[in-house]
Amino acid sequence: FTSSLHLPGTSEEVAPPLQQSFMIPKKEINMVSDMAKWKRSQAYADYMGFILTLNEGVKGKKLTCEYKVSEPIEKLVALLNTLDRWIDETPPVDQPSRFGNKAFRTWYAKLDQEAEKLVATVIPKHLADAAPEVAVYLKESVGNSTRIDYGTGHEAAFAAFLCCLCKIGVLRVDDQMAIVFKVFNRYLEVMRKLQKTYRMEPAGSQGVWGLDDFQFLPFIWGSSQLIDHPNLEPRHFVDEKVVNENHKDFMFLECILFITEMKTGPFAEHSNQLWNISAVPSWSKVNQGLIRMYKAECLEKFPVIQHFKFGSLLPIQPVTS
């Protein structure tokens, strides 16, 4: 998406042949001192470039607006629909503890087994060699099967999965809106269903002091959607009526709706950070602040990034520019 991603300018051009050998991504950040390596890496530059490109791409646009839907986008939605169907086929089991239903492990085992095949349905035959590398990010994006938890590191793996599909030319510049509104939005729906069905624990959440127990990116992209909105201001998102009337158009409000469904009590108490954000005067200020917060609270936190995996598409090597 950025110049470093060698993306062809239009969808008519053919992507240059990939002169690369793919590899199974692995962990590289093993101690706090390795974090500097991550911040200097090509992976960090490409990941952040991808997030910011999409942030620009959805600016001022509603979820319900018109946009191009390519075949790879349709296939990604079908892949997510399969994951959704597997939840229906794997009901929670009876167990003494209320949280962390062990049926999640059964569901996850199926994904673990099928991930490469699923990814192969999305990428063209001549790129088949990339499937094992790309599939790792898909497997990492749904939560941890040992702890039965889910957090922003898993969400980042899904964004990395989409970023890899851009780097191999499966997704293109004109897919931007569909990536966020169709694919990422469908991913969120499936994750919410997983979280509800298997009562997943929030991974490394700071509770009230974190933005949200489970997600971060839809708040960034969702606030960008609301930039220059004629009448919705940040102070309105704590108003139930506004949320109920507009959530189908805006990702940010969809997130707020989910929080209020899942949590009881005053909003200012259960979601203090978001409550504070509602006092920021403009959506563009909210958007800039959330990007800074995302870097500081997610991408620069060792407990999150120690799980991130690096391969040929998202390399740990320092930026070459």
Side-chain angles (χ1 to χ4, degrees):
F1 271 42
T2 55
S3 54
S4 67
L5 299 191
H6 334 286
L7 264 200
T10 67
S11 47
E12 276 72 50
E13 290 173 39
V14 180
L18 283 163
Q19 307 295 324
Q20 70 178 80
S21 47
F22 297 101
M23 62 178 277
I24 300 295
K26 57 186 207 295
K27 295 184 185 186
E28 299 277 2
I29 309 299
N30 302 309
M31 39 197 181
V32 177
S33 57
D34 292 334
M35 289 295 286
K37 225 174 19 174
W38 153 243
K39 280 183 254 180
R40 281 196 301 268
S41 70
Q42 190 64 52
Y44 182 90
D46 287 348
Y47 179 85
M48 212 50 227
F50 180 68
I51 299 301
L52 295 174
T53 300
L54 294 175
N55 189 57
E56 278 303 301
V58 300
K59 203 171 177 174
K61 307 278 201 306
K62 291 181 177 183
L63 286 168
T64 48
C65 74
E66 294 276 314
Y67 50 83
K68 172 182 169 269
V69 179
S70 63
E71 196 182 344
I73 293 284
E74 295 283 16
K75 288 174 170 172
L76 281 165
V77 172
L79 180 157
L80 290 164
N81 292 343
T82 299
L83 302 189
D84 191 334
R85 195 183 72 242
W86 291 347
I87 302 175
D88 297 332
E89 293 166 5
T90 318
V93 293
D94 273 334
Q95 62 176 45
S97 62
R98 218 169 114 224
F99 287 95
N101 195 281
K102 291 181 178 53
F104 176 71
R105 292 180 182 149
T106 310
W107 179 89
Y108 183 85
K110 197 164 175 66
L111 173 61
D112 195 36
Q113 209 184 327
E114 303 287 327
E116 273 183 44
K117 267 190 233 143
L118 287 172
V119 170
T121 62
V122 179
I123 59 182
K125 289 276 183 286
H126 72 279
L127 290 169
D129 289 354
E133 176 166 347
V134 177
V136 167
Y137 295 102
L138 179 64
K139 288 191 278 195
E140 297 277 320
S141 74
V142 297
N144 181 287
S145 66
T146 310
R147 295 188 302 272
I148 314 184
D149 67 6
Y150 175 94
T152 49
H154 302 109
E155 175 190 58
F158 192 74
F161 166 67
L162 297 173
C163 182
C164 287
L165 292 174
C166 291
K167 293 199 80 168
I168 60 175
V170 171
L171 296 173
R172 296 171 184 267
V173 176
D174 55 359
D175 288 316
Q176 284 182 56
M177 283 169 67
I179 288 172
V180 179
F181 292 169
K182 242 188 144 49
V183 180
F184 196 82
N185 207 41
R186 185 72 187 104
Y187 165 75
L188 285 178
E189 290 168 1
V190 178
M191 292 308 105
R192 286 174 185 143
K193 186 165 168 176
L194 276 180
Q195 287 148 22
K196 269 189 192 160
T197 306
Y198 303 123
R199 302 298 297 267
M200 298 177 78
E201 301 270 14
S205 151
Q206 289 85 44
V208 172
W209 309 111
L211 188 63
D212 174 80
D213 284 342
F214 297 111
Q215 312 295 154
F216 202 114
L217 292 173
F219 292 97
I220 296 180
W221 296 330
S223 58
S224 182
Q225 283 185 277
L226 285 154
I227 290 174
D228 297 331
H229 191 284
N231 41 21
L232 288 181
E233 293 169 34
R235 63 190 172 90
H236 291 123
F237 78 74
V238 291
D239 178 338
E240 209 178 324
K241 185 171 180 286
V242 171
V243 172
N244 288 333
E245 286 171 7
N246 297 283
H247 71 93
K248 287 190 169 64
D249 283 326
F250 300 104
M251 219 168 216
F252 194 105
L253 302 182
E254 218 34 292
C255 291
I256 300 294
L257 186 69
F258 184 66
I259 291 172
T260 53
E261 281 172 7
M262 299 298 278
K263 299 198 169 186
T264 51
F267 193 88
E269 283 174 28
H270 63 62
S271 302
N272 191 262
Q273 280 279 30
L274 282 166
W275 179 260
N276 293 339
I277 286 168
S278 71
V280 175
S282 73
W283 284 111
S284 69
K285 284 269 185 293
V286 169
N287 186 246
Q288 289 159 12
L290 286 174
I291 290 165
R292 280 197 307 272
M293 185 178 170
Y294 184 60
K295 287 179 181 169
E297 297 302 317
C298 300
L299 301 185
E300 293 176 10
K301 287 278 186 277
F302 175 72
V304 176
I305 296 305
Q306 64 174 332
H307 302 292
F308 197 91
K309 294 185 174 173
F310 301 84
S312 72
L313 296 168
L314 289 169
I316 189 68
Q317 280 70 37
V319 173
T320 48
S321 57

